[in-house]
Amino acid sequence: MTSDQSSAGKGSLPGAVTALPADRLYRPSDLSKLAFASTAEIEPLEGIVGQQRALEAVQFGTKVEKPGFNLFVIGPPGTGMRQAVESLLKSRDQRETVPPDWVYVNNFADPQRPVAIDLPAGKAPEFRDAMRDLIEELKTALPAAFESEDYQTRRGAVDEAFQKRQAEAFGAIRGRASEKGIAILRTPLGFALAPTRDGTVVPPEEFNAWPDAKRRETQRTIEELENELERIMRQVPQWEKERREEIRKLNRETAKYAVDQSIEESKALLKDIPRIVEHFETVHNDLIENVGMFIAKGEEGEGMAMGAGPGGPFDRYEVNVLVTQAGRERGAPVIEEPHPTLGNLIGRIEYVARMGVLGTNFRLIKPGALHRANGGYLLLDVRSLLLEPFSWSALKRALQQREIMIEDPARFLGLASTVSLEPAPIPLDIKVILFGDRLLYYLLAAFDPELREQFKVLADFEDDLSRSPDSEMVFARLVAAITRRDGLRPVDRSGVALVIEHAARLADHAGKLTLLVDQIRDILAESDFWAKEGGRSAIARVDVERALDERTRRASRLRDRAQELVLQNVALIDTTGACVGQINGLSVTELGGFRFGHPNRITCRVRPGAGKLVDIEREVELGGPIHSKGVLILSGFLAGRYAIETPMSLFASLVFEQSYGGVEGDSASAAELFALLSALSEVPLRQELAVTGSVNQHGEVQAIGGVNEKIEGFFDICRVRGLTGTQGIVIPQSNVQHLMLRKDVVEACTQGKFMIYPIQTIDQGIALLTGRPAGERGADGMFPADSINRLVEDRLRAFARIRRSFGEDRAPESREGAH
Amino acid sequence: MAAATFKRVVLGLHRSVSEETAIGAAADFAGLLRLDLLGLFAEDPNLLALAGLPFGRELRTREGGWRPIDAEQLARAMEAAARRARRAFVEKASSMQLTADFRSVKGSIAELVESLLSAGDIVAVPLPISAAERATAQFSRLFEAASRSAAAVLLLPSEIARQTGAIVAVAATPADTGVQIGRIIAAAAKEEFVLVDAIAGARMRPESLSAPLLSGMSERLVVLTRGAIDEARVQAIASARRVPVLVVEPEN
């Protein structure tokens, strides 16, 4: 028996719904446009498929040279959007200019504010090496200059003149003192004068024994000599100062001679870069002022340079190559930062502990991704970016100000009180490309007004591709490309067909193919494994089937438990018979990327009331807003179709039986309406059918999601209990295009053991479920007798009468809940 | 005296020199010739006597002005200076693995040196940096005592210009003792040996005490025989060239 015959047999009502034929349940692939035995014979697909809109957006965004035209690339994970963008950028970056190198050098005037200098691409290492060579050379040349005979002779002459002047002064006083038997003595703290005899100081007792006149004379002489000694000593600092000045002048001349020669040679290498020449001049002046650090023991009068930082005194002349394009002959950099912490993004200042104190200098400035990508492209995952504190704000600030300012979070959080740096900002010329899912983009667009200012170009990657013989051919080439790139076995023709069909299933649409390439890649990898296990050189259809089955099996523990509960009558689901106010609804559960459908019993009870339809799920706060909306639509449907001339005097309660978790979505609203109509009409519903679909206030049945899984979920229960030939599913007509059902379901339908009924209206569905026509209003405005609609309307009128008889038509609505 | 007969270096420390520089230079020299090293520090009784005089006072170099001398404070300061000198001496001698001894004795440094010196000694005399220091009795007596003794004298400048360079002998004749000793030291130091004619050099630039003799040289040590040039110029050479000067006795 075919499904058509089957439905004809069951559907004896006028305009009755017929079950779908098997060819509407599964669309096999059509590879007629491509002759091949396996993918080894196919030209692999280059680039990306089905993303023309997104790629054009990327092309546009990367070409616009205006501020704020950064890109936000969105799409579902696994579409290969990042690879597509990278591939596109790499193909064009060869035509773009190589950006400059950047270095930080010491700011000799203010070491806390290092100076940033840009150099032509690749020149930074040269500059660093030139400076390093210069200092190394000076480490030899300067000590040699200061040890040279010429210097020593001149220095000796200065010292000698000074010594001579002092020696004359002190020699004179010493001579005078000696003549009078007085000696100048060195004490621990200074100088003293004392009377001597035979070269030794006259002992106090001997001195005291001297005649008064001699003692007074000696004291007077000593006082005179003391005055003279003091006068000379007062002159010594001035002489010393003059000597130091002479030596400083000599040292500068000596240093200048040595430095001039070396620095001119170094400067000549980079003489075309004015800022470098300027820096060399600054270094030149500093070297002359701080020549002491080059002389092993430190020349007198030459202080060591202070504030040089943690690496030693010569650090001040180093060059910190922050970013260099050395080795890049053409094209702009494309940088990806997988861990965009603030430091990784905008750079950071490191510290070293020395003697218990944290210190830093310009050499410890480390580049961030913005530095490395400056002049090119920076690729960031927006979720990672948002998860890192301060990073998103810092990125926007950098783009807004068009410069990279390194900030130390420890400072503005007050976590560190050590002296830090304020490096000069570096001009930023960059194209930032953010990757993320759509939800994040829309949330940011809604809550962060700066997003639109800085990310003006949106590239939205498609989830799927329209299915046609042409696109299937392209997909086959994609399969070939994946297998070759990933080193997998080729896939034979039947295997490719199944992969394509599975791609349609993943797209939830028989007329589309998913563009989630990663999922296809995973399937192929698993199929390759099974082909290997089977000893096949190419992946066959059976391997793909095995891979899909094993995937389902691995993930289906929860589904199996749910089915077990139904089969053991713990979860009550009837698959035979008929019942008033009770129907099988269908729901889909998705956990860890695995979706499965299962039936739920929906029941409805009615009685006279004030026109309220109670959604029990909502009352106990288990129903989500969309579910509640669906139920409220039922009220609208009832009010619009029935009891037009009488007040709605109904109290109805609807519930998902044995549902202990949340219920969301409106895909059960049609089923709920059928249960309500059955309860009102008191006509039983066929329990061998399950229903899915949403409904609007006009009674039109609308599409829902997960139709394949829902059908399969109910089919599995029926199959185990035994297919009766009357079981089936009622689905919205608009969902037929989405059907890509499992092979066993299709086979059962083909054999007439299971039916898929597409409906467009509630009337079609109620007729199918009750075996009675829904009925249309006649010229008299009444529905035909015994029709469902007539029964419903009569019941509602009866409720109205009952209410009137009890005088409750004005009762406050709030009392309904108390019953 | 032949260099081979030198046994030890005797370093006389007095309060008017930088101890570290003097100890370092003396130790380097002793190490070069593998000689023993004896350090002497005198706690000068003259100073204590001065403190006992009714008008005894000192001109303080740091804070300026004349202050009375406190005998106890003076004694403590001398002891502390002796300890400091001992520590620096021992550290340096240990680091160079020298056979060394250090003595701190109450008495005049000049008398101490005089009493201890023998013909196989080299007495190292640190030169004060300032003329004021050189005018003091302690230095002048040490220098005189050293000069009078039979020992060779090593004058150590307060700053050393260089650690490497030629060994220069300034001699009136090639047969001077200083020439022979200079050659030995140059061989030990693996440095160039240069002989300078003292008589010809003295004629070159009579207005300077030191420069003409050694013009055009980068020496690390000057060796000369006593009497080759006058005493005043010896000190001047050491100070101006800032290199140690070794004065040896003539052979006869």
Side-chain angles (χ1 to χ4, degrees):
Chain A
M1 188 193 299
T2 66
S3 59
D4 283 334
Q5 290 165 330
S6 167
S7 63
K10 307 291 173 196
S12 56
L13 298 168
V17 177
T18 55
L20 287 171
D23 63 355
R24 304 291 303 277
L25 306 181
Y26 187 86
R27 178 175 161 182
S29 60
D30 176 5
L31 291 170
S32 56
K33 288 214 166 185
L34 196 63
F36 68 101
S38 83
T39 52
E41 301 165 13
I42 307 177
E43 184 189 354
L45 183 72
E46 293 292 333
I48 194 163
V49 60
Q51 303 289 6
Q52 201 53 37
R53 186 208 324 252
L55 291 179
E56 282 171 8
V58 174
Q59 288 274 18
F60 167 75
T62 52
K63 281 182 180 169
V64 179
E65 302 285 350
K66 297 291 178 199
F69 279 82
N70 297 293
L71 282 117
F72 205 127
V73 181
I74 59 173
T79 48
M81 54 188 178
R82 187 177 289 251
Q83 293 89 327
V85 172
E86 280 175 12
S87 166
L88 192 146
L89 292 176
K90 279 175 185 160
S91 68
R92 54 178 266 121
D93 74 352
Q94 299 305 312
R95 299 189 299 274
E96 293 171 339
T97 319
V98 182
D101 288 359
W102 281 95
V103 299
Y104 268 113
V105 294
N106 186 36
N107 182 341
F108 293 98
D110 185 357
Q112 303 307 315
R113 292 182 169 77
V115 176
I117 300 177
D118 60 326
L119 299 95
K123 286 284 183 185
E126 274 182 46
F127 177 37
R128 178 195 58 204
D129 295 345
M131 192 58 79
R132 201 168 276 170
D133 291 347
L134 169 67
I135 298 304
E136 284 305 313
E137 188 183 320
L138 289 175
K139 280 181 187 173
T140 311
L142 281 170
F146 278 80
E147 285 182 5
S148 70
E149 188 276 336
D150 179 52
Y151 172 81
Q152 292 297 337
T153 302
R154 294 173 67 188
R155 169 76 189 267
V158 172
D159 287 343
E160 200 169 299
F162 171 74
Q163 294 289 356
K164 191 176 171 187
R165 191 191 245 179
Q166 281 198 84
E168 284 171 0
F170 284 104
I173 190 172
R174 182 186 162 205
R176 283 183 55 205
S178 184
E179 282 172 13
K180 295 183 177 178
I182 307 295
I184 301 172
L185 295 174
R186 181 70 163 99
T187 66
L189 299 175
F191 296 91
L193 291 155
T196 57
R197 181 178 49 76
D198 301 330
T200 56
V201 173
V202 175
E205 57 275 15
E206 185 182 329
F207 181 82
N208 291 333
W210 282 1
D212 282 352
K214 187 178 178 183
R215 286 208 310 268
R216 278 198 297 275
E217 175 61 20
T218 303
Q219 283 190 33
R220 192 183 56 75
T221 305
I222 285 177
E223 278 174 16
E224 282 175 13
L225 290 170
E226 280 178 348
N227 288 338
E228 192 174 346
L229 179 64
E230 187 176 355
R231 184 182 58 77
I232 296 170
M233 290 296 286
R234 282 181 192 279
Q235 285 183 315
V236 170
Q238 180 58 33
W239 293 341
E240 181 63 28
K241 188 179 171 188
E242 288 170 12
R243 186 185 77 96
R244 277 201 305 271
E245 278 305 312
E246 284 286 310
I247 290 174
R248 190 184 296 275
K249 193 175 158 195
L250 171 62
N251 286 353
R252 281 186 185 155
E253 282 175 15
T254 308
K256 188 171 183 304
Y257 179 75
V259 170
D260 278 358
Q261 211 169 2
S262 302
I263 218 161
E264 284 306 320
E265 288 169 15
S266 304
K267 208 159 62 175
L269 298 171
L270 299 154
K271 64 176 188 291
D272 298 333
I273 310 167
R275 290 202 66 192
I276 298 300
V277 173
E278 190 184 319
H279 182 68
F280 270 116
E281 289 302 324
T282 314
V283 168
H284 173 267
N285 295 337
D286 189 80
L287 283 167
I288 290 170
E289 287 302 316
N290 296 291
V291 69
M293 72 175 76
F294 287 88
I295 304 164
K297 288 190 173 179
E299 284 295 317
E300 191 178 349
E302 300 298 335
M304 293 291 279
M306 299 302 288
F314 298 108
D315 258 18
R316 60 200 282 115
Y317 304 116
E318 283 281 352
V319 173
N320 179 359
V321 178
L322 201 68
V323 61
T324 178
Q325 308 299 337
R328 178 187 294 278
E329 290 182 2
R330 286 182 300 169
V334 178
I335 302 295
E336 188 176 348
E337 177 51 65
H339 188 200
T341 60
L342 183 65
N344 287 353
L345 192 63
I346 63 164
R348 63 187 183 279
I349 299 164
E350 293 186 343
Y351 296 84
V352 292
R354 181 162 292 183
M355 307 287 283
V357 176
L358 288 177
T360 187
N361 69 6
F362 71 97
R363 290 191 69 197
L364 295 175
I365 300 171
K366 303 294 176 187
L370 285 175
H371 294 104
R372 295 198 305 277
N374 200 2
Y377 306 93
L378 175 59
L379 279 51
L380 294 169
D381 176 68
V382 73
R383 185 181 295 273
S384 304
L385 185 68
L386 292 171
L387 282 172
E388 295 297 338
F390 313 118
S391 292
W392 173 237
S393 300
L395 176 65
K396 286 188 296 182
R397 203 159 41 242
L399 292 172
Q400 177 73 33
Q401 296 172 354
R402 303 180 72 187
E403 61 183 25
I404 314 168
M405 176 87 80
I406 298 178
E407 294 169 295
D408 185 356
R411 282 183 69 201
F412 57 74
L413 287 175
L415 298 176
S417 57
T418 185
V419 174
S420 189
L421 304 175
E422 291 176 35
I426 288 178
L428 181 65
D429 173 20
I430 198 171
K431 195 69 82 174
V432 176
I433 303 174
L434 295 181
F435 295 89
D437 56 47
R438 294 192 180 100
L439 177 63
L440 279 175
Y441 173 75
Y442 293 127
L443 283 172
L444 278 173
F447 293 108
D448 187 347
E450 288 174 328
L451 180 81
R452 296 278 179 84
E453 290 175 24
Q454 297 305 332
F455 292 89
K456 294 181 191 291
V457 182
L458 174 68
D460 192 351
F461 275 65
E462 295 284 359
D463 300 44
D464 46 41
L465 166 74
S466 284
R467 192 175 168 193
S468 67
D470 285 335
S471 63
E472 289 188 8
M473 182 180 71
V474 170
F475 210 88
R477 289 178 59 207
L478 172 66
V479 171
I482 293 171
T483 54
R484 289 196 197 171
R485 201 179 305 137
D486 294 359
L488 306 176
R489 287 167 175 73
V491 188
D492 72 13
R493 191 178 180 86
S494 63
V496 171
L498 183 53
V499 171
I500 290 171
E501 288 153 16
H502 183 67
R505 169 71 184 240
L506 287 173
D508 277 331
H509 200 302
K512 290 187 183 294
L513 296 171
T514 185
L515 290 174
L516 302 182
V517 179
D518 282 357
Q519 293 202 27
I520 300 300
R521 179 177 286 112
D522 292 346
I523 292 294
L524 288 171
E526 291 179 33
S527 304
D528 181 71
F529 172 81
W530 293 115
K532 181 186 168 194
E533 290 287 298
R536 282 177 284 280
S537 59
I539 298 168
R541 187 179 182 95
V542 66
D543 299 316
V544 181
E545 278 175 348
R546 179 76 186 268
L548 294 173
D549 289 346
E550 290 294 334
R551 279 190 141 210
T552 303
R553 186 169 170 273
R554 288 196 297 269
S556 63
R557 190 193 68 84
L558 205 64
R559 181 197 68 179
D560 294 349
R561 293 288 88 79
Q563 288 179 358
E564 193 178 276
L565 288 175
V566 172
L567 296 171
Q568 292 174 350
N569 292 325
V570 176
L572 300 178
I573 298 291
D574 289 344
T575 49
T576 54
C579 189
V580 173
Q582 175 179 305
I583 194 165
N584 293 322
L586 291 166
S587 60
V588 169
T589 299
E590 180 164 6
L591 287 169
F594 177 67
R595 287 198 301 182
F596 63 94
H598 50 90
N600 297 91
R601 174 175 288 180
I602 299 170
T603 62
C604 180
R605 301 299 295 270
V606 295
R607 65 174 176 78
K612 181 162 184 181
L613 189 58
V614 172
D615 173 14
I616 291 178
E617 308 297 332
R618 184 187 176 193
E619 295 294 313
V620 296
E621 297 182 352
L622 282 175
I626 299 173
H627 179 259
S628 299
K629 177 188 171 191
V631 174
L632 290 173
I633 285 172
L634 306 189
S635 297
F637 172 79
L638 286 181
R641 171 169 285 195
Y642 309 109
I644 296 166
E645 296 163 355
T646 56
M648 182 63 74
S649 304
L650 166 72
F651 177 86
S653 57
L654 277 164
V655 68
F656 269 62
E657 300 288 359
Q658 293 181 291
S659 165
Y660 308 106
V663 175
E664 180 55 316
D666 64 352
S667 70
S669 59
E672 287 168 327
L673 182 54
F674 292 137
L676 177 60
L677 295 177
S678 167
L680 284 168
S681 64
E682 296 182 298
V683 176
L685 298 172
R686 290 168 63 190
Q687 300 299 300
E688 63 233 13
L689 297 176
V691 176
T692 183
S694 71
V695 64
N696 65 18
Q697 293 192 100
H698 296 291
E700 292 167 326
V701 177
Q702 304 163 147
I704 45 79
V707 65
N708 292 303
E709 288 80 3
K710 286 174 177 174
I711 292 170
E712 288 163 2
F714 188 65
F715 172 81
D716 285 340
I717 299 292
C718 296
R719 181 177 50 79
V720 176
R721 285 180 173 170
L723 294 171
T724 60
T726 58
Q727 292 152 333
I729 309 279
V730 180
I731 64 169
Q733 173 70 43
S734 47
N735 277 121
V736 172
Q737 60 189 319
H738 300 137
L739 293 177
M740 281 300 288
L741 288 166
R742 231 168 45 204
K743 190 177 168 186
D744 55 346
V745 181
V746 175
E747 283 172 4
C749 291
T750 307
Q751 293 165 13
K753 292 178 180 173
F754 199 74
M755 321 291 171
I756 312 294
Y757 295 106
I759 60 170
Q760 289 177 296
T761 64
I762 286 297
D763 287 348
Q764 286 177 321
I766 197 71
L768 183 64
L769 286 159
T770 60
R772 291 196 191 196
E776 291 183 12
R777 287 190 192 276
D780 58 354
M782 298 296 287
F783 290 109
D786 290 335
S787 70
I788 296 295
N789 286 334
R790 177 65 176 268
L791 293 171
V792 170
E793 191 162 68
D794 288 350
R795 189 82 185 276
L796 289 171
R797 285 181 175 160
F799 284 170
R801 283 195 300 276
I802 292 168
R803 284 196 74 211
R804 270 200 302 276
S805 68
F806 281 92
E808 289 180 354
D809 51 342
R810 289 181 187 172
E813 201 168 295
S814 60
R815 291 180 62 189
E816 295 291 354
H819 292 282
Chain B
M1 174 170 295
T5 61
F6 289 134
K7 298 292 182 210
R8 65 174 176 176
V9 174
V10 178
L11 171 64
L13 291 166
H14 51 90
R15 283 291 307 143
S16 48
V17 295
S18 160
E19 287 155 0
E20 283 78 10
T21 309
I23 291 168
D28 287 343
F29 187 82
L32 190 63
L33 297 180
R34 304 311 304 166
L35 305 178
D36 294 349
L37 181 63
L38 171 64
L40 291 175
F41 185 91
E43 295 181 32
D44 194 348
N46 281 325
L47 293 180
L48 294 172
L50 171 65
L53 291 171
F55 51 83
R57 59 180 187 165
E58 62 185 345
L59 177 62
R60 299 268 174 94
T61 46
R62 294 219 171 190
E63 61 257 53
W66 292 91
R67 301 277 193 284
I69 297 172
D70 181 329
E72 280 185 23
Q73 192 184 23
L74 185 67
R76 281 200 303 275
M78 283 198 291
E79 283 171 15
R83 279 197 302 276
R84 210 165 43 243
R86 178 187 293 276
R87 193 162 50 245
F89 183 90
V90 170
E91 277 178 13
K92 181 68 180 177
S94 303
S95 70
M96 294 185 65
Q97 298 180 318
L98 296 175
T99 305
D101 188 18
F102 184 88
R103 296 181 205 167
S104 174
V105 187
K106 292 191 192 311
S108 148
I109 186 70
E111 289 165 2
L112 276 171
V113 166
E114 216 161 21
S115 65
L116 285 167
L117 289 183
S118 62
D121 288 332
I122 296 171
V123 58
V125 178
L127 292 173
I129 191 167
S130 75
E133 310 264 14
R134 282 184 214 164
T136 59
Q138 291 101 323
F139 171 70
S140 57
R141 284 181 195 144
L142 170 64
F143 185 72
E144 285 161 11
S147 301
R148 278 199 306 271
S149 75
V153 178
L154 179 66
L155 293 179
L156 301 172
S158 53
E159 278 181 46
I160 305 292
R162 60 186 77 83
Q163 301 294 326
T164 57
I167 308 296
V168 176
V170 180
T173 69
D176 275 1
T177 315
V179 176
Q180 181 196 354
I181 292 174
R183 284 187 196 282
I184 292 169
I185 296 172
K190 296 177 181 157
E191 297 281 12
E192 183 190 5
F193 174 74
V194 178
L195 176 60
V196 172
D197 182 343
I199 298 165
R203 284 199 300 269
M204 287 167 68
R205 284 171 62 186
E207 75 282 3
S208 171
L209 288 171
S210 64
L213 275 176
L214 304 169
S215 178
M217 290 180 199
S218 293
E219 77 284 7
R220 67 180 278 189
L221 176 74
V222 175
V223 184
L224 49 84
T225 309
R226 200 183 301 275
I229 59 173
D230 63 67
E231 295 285 326
R233 288 185 70 189
V234 176
Q235 272 194 54
I237 288 172
S239 295
R241 301 292 299 178
R242 295 189 294 147
V243 294
V245 175
L246 178 64
V247 183
V248 298
E249 288 294 315
E251 195 67 57
N252 52 2

